[in-house]
Amino acid sequence: MHKKAYFDEKAGNWDSLIQDEVILRLKTMVEELALPQGSKVLDLGTGTGVLIPMLIEAVGLSGGIVAIDFAPQMLAEAQKKYQWPNLEFMEGNAEDIPLADQAVDEVVCNSAFPHFDDLRKAAQEMFRVLKNGGRVSVLHPHSREYINDLHASLGGAVKNCMIPHADVMQAIFSEAGFENITIENVTQRYLLIGRKVSI
Ligand SMILES: C[S@@+](CC[C@H](N)C(=O)[O-])C[C@H]1O[C@@H](n2cnc3c(N)ncnc32)[C@H](O)[C@@H]1O
């Protein structure tokens, strides 16, 4: 089964699979990002919009959120739950993001990066849509090892969806143009941050 069909099939049930503890961990991670009030954020691979209320809280009424996913059923679940004046949903692929150059201040990508078929292209697209000075945050509420073992054990469409080793992640993001790249990989979180300094 193709990955898009895999996620569409899971959409109706997705939220029931997310534990409260994981939501709390994500809240903490988003708070630590300290997204500036008023900033425009791309939630790439938004799924059922798990991050959306946290992003709304962070950016406030003067901010904006674009939530993109390639699986229409996942997006439909997110749309059922969240309506907000400055929240826009778009169906689109991370490897060909349907946004203009320099459209957003922040890209956040929770639990989606290893699912993209071409990781290098996705990182280049994140760089392209960010404004100068913008930041990318690739996050998971689990360690890299946990995620990779989980995907291997689930098998099927996600069996090869792996977070590469830190050296490879550094290379992917620096070759895409990002600077000041940091990677944190501990038991209950994975967080890569990179900055688009200037072009
Ligand atoms: C594991 S889910 C995570 C969803 C959400 N971010 C969350 O925290 O629950 C991965 C999401 O990435 C989306 N996705 C996978 N590959 C994609 C791609 N190439 N472009 C856009 N979205 C993609 C899937 O449809 C799915 O909704």
Side-chain angles (χ1 to χ4, degrees):
M1 187 192 283
H2 186 270
K3 271 185 257 182
K4 191 191 283 199
Y6 173 89
F7 284 111
D8 270 336
E9 195 184 273
K10 298 249 176 285
N13 211 21
W14 189 262
D15 288 350
S16 67
L17 302 173
I18 305 177
Q19 299 150 335
D20 292 349
E21 191 200 327
V22 163
I23 299 286
L24 283 176
R25 255 184 253 164
L26 288 171
K27 275 191 184 154
T28 304
M29 293 178 84
V30 171
E31 276 166 23
E32 285 176 18
L33 291 179
L35 301 162
Q37 285 263 324
S39 55
K40 182 150 185 191
V41 182
L42 165 60
D43 180 12
L44 188 60
T46 190
T48 59
V50 169
L51 282 193
I52 287 175
M54 307 170 203
L55 299 176
I56 290 176
E57 167 94 27
V59 303
L61 278 174
S62 56
I65 296 162
V66 190
I68 292 182
D69 203 286
F70 78 163
Q73 295 307 319
M74 289 294 247
L75 271 183
E77 292 298 323
Q79 262 168 314
K80 269 194 239 166
K81 291 187 293 182
Y82 305 113
Q83 278 110 37
W84 190 59
N86 300 335
L87 167 63
E88 190 182 354
F89 292 98
M90 293 175 90
E91 194 176 318
N93 199 309
E95 292 142 41
D96 185 15
I97 298 175
L99 292 178
D101 296 356
Q102 306 206 23
V104 296
D105 302 294
E106 303 268 354
V107 174
V108 295
C109 181
N110 174 43
S111 303
F113 189 75
H115 296 299
F116 304 153
D117 285 334
D118 186 337
L119 301 183
R120 282 179 171 75
K121 189 74 181 69
Q124 285 161 14
E125 280 290 275
M126 293 176 189
F127 188 83
R128 181 183 66 76
V129 301
L130 272 170
K131 295 179 188 166
N132 290 336
R135 173 175 58 167
V136 63
S137 306
V138 173
L139 56 138
H140 294 265
H142 299 282
S143 68
R144 167 178 177 258
E145 292 72 20
Y146 179 99
I147 295 296
N148 289 354
D149 287 350
L150 175 70
H151 291 163
S153 70
L154 288 171
V158 299
K159 77 165 186 283
N160 295 319
C161 298
M162 299 291 151
I163 305 173
H165 187 273
D167 294 349
V168 178
M169 287 294 273
Q170 277 276 352
I172 289 172
F173 280 84
S174 69
E175 282 161 23
F178 288 101
E179 294 180 39
N180 306 327
I181 299 162
T182 58
I183 299 175
E184 183 188 8
N185 178 36
V186 294
T187 315
Q188 297 192 330
R189 64 155 73 189
Y190 180 93
L191 177 62
L192 175 146
I193 289 179
R195 193 59 81 172
K196 176 169 176 173
V197 175
S198 61
I199 50 168

